[in-house]
Amino acid sequence: LPELRHLVVLKLEMWLINQKISRPAQDLLLSVCHNCNTHSVLDIEVMSSLSKLRLKTKPNINLFLASLRDLCTAHPDNLPTMMKQTIFNELSNARNTNNMPMLAVMFQTDPEKAAASLANVFMELLLQK
């Protein structure tokens, strides 16, 4: 299953944009996020790809944020991993417009774990300099 999640997430953005297959793609997004519960290397790559999705329509963004909430609760290590991916994405040259809403969802899901994860990411960044 992690291999399938990885294959699906690579094409998901394109499928979500296509109006003809948008609804099944939305169901796939929900399924991928809900079942990302092993925290294997492939699941980490899936989370990295999810953090880079560039969704433009309000319904897709709202669905993605709801899916992110499921993803953060699917495995204890998912929230810290998504926090790290989102912060690194925000600090890169290719910023995602959904980074701040993603951070808001993570803090709503588990405020204490999100704060600790954010602190760890900043500590890591400070120690790199």
Side-chain angles (χ1 to χ4, degrees), residues 44-59:
I44 292 170
E45 287 181 27
V46 166
M47 287 186 269
S48 175
S49 296
L50 285 170
S51 72
K52 294 174 186 166
L53 284 180
R54 295 189 174 277
L55 303 173
K56 292 167 182 65
T57 64
K58 199 71 164 166

Side-chain angles (χ1 to χ4, degrees), residues 26-79:
Q26 291 172 349
D27 292 339
L28 271 173
L29 173 62
L30 284 168
S31 296
V32 165
C33 290
H34 185 73
N35 291 310
C36 198
N37 54 13
T38 63
H39 207 70
S40 64
V41 173
L42 283 174
D43 276 351
I44 292 170
E45 287 181 27
V46 166
M47 287 186 269
S48 175
S49 296
L50 285 170
S51 72
K52 294 174 186 166
L53 284 180
R54 295 189 174 277
L55 303 173
K56 292 167 182 65
T57 64
K58 199 71 164 166
N60 281 344
I61 292 169
N62 289 338
L63 179 76
F64 172 70
L65 294 175
S67 300
L68 179 63
R69 186 172 285 114
D70 281 349
L71 175 70
C72 289
T73 58
H75 189 277
D77 294 332
N78 284 358
L79 190 141

Side-chain angles (χ1 to χ4, degrees), residues 72-98:
C72 289
T73 58
H75 189 277
D77 294 332
N78 284 358
L79 190 141
T81 301
M82 279 305 291
M83 180 68 73
K84 183 176 182 178
Q85 295 293 336
T86 305
I87 295 297
F88 279 41
N89 187 320
E90 180 64 21
L91 296 174
S92 75
N93 290 333
R95 285 191 187 102
N96 188 339
T97 57
N98 297 322

